[in-house]
Amino acid sequence: MAIKNFFKAMTTNTGVAGEILAFLWQRKLWWLIPMVAMLLLIGLALIFASASGVAPFIYTLF
């Protein structure tokens, strides 16, 4: 029951990302969680790169 309460609290606090994780957890698609997390991190890195002076350094990683 503690895990269920944890995910219920997580979805109310994290918005869309929490809903995606809760959806994957309910459908027992645990193996997709690291893939979705990496896609979110790469997306955030690209957004950060386009909005700052760090862009040339981040673009060399890709």
Side-chain angles (χ1 to χ4, degrees):
M1 288 307 251
I3 292 176
K4 189 175 188 177
N5 292 336
F6 171 74
F7 279 112
K8 191 176 287 188
M10 185 178 72
T11 57
T12 59
N13 293 334
T14 58
V16 176
E19 288 183 22
I20 291 171
L21 290 175
F23 173 78
L24 294 175
W25 191 265
Q26 286 176 349
R27 303 283 189 264
K28 295 185 180 4
L29 297 173
W30 302 302
W31 58 274
L32 278 176
I33 292 175
M35 193 181 323
V36 170
M38 288 305 296
L39 286 174
L40 288 173
L41 287 175
I42 290 172
L44 288 174
L46 290 175
I47 290 170
F48 177 71
S50 66
S52 70
V54 186
F57 303 110
I58 293 179
Y59 286 139
T60 59
L61 296 175
F62 299 105

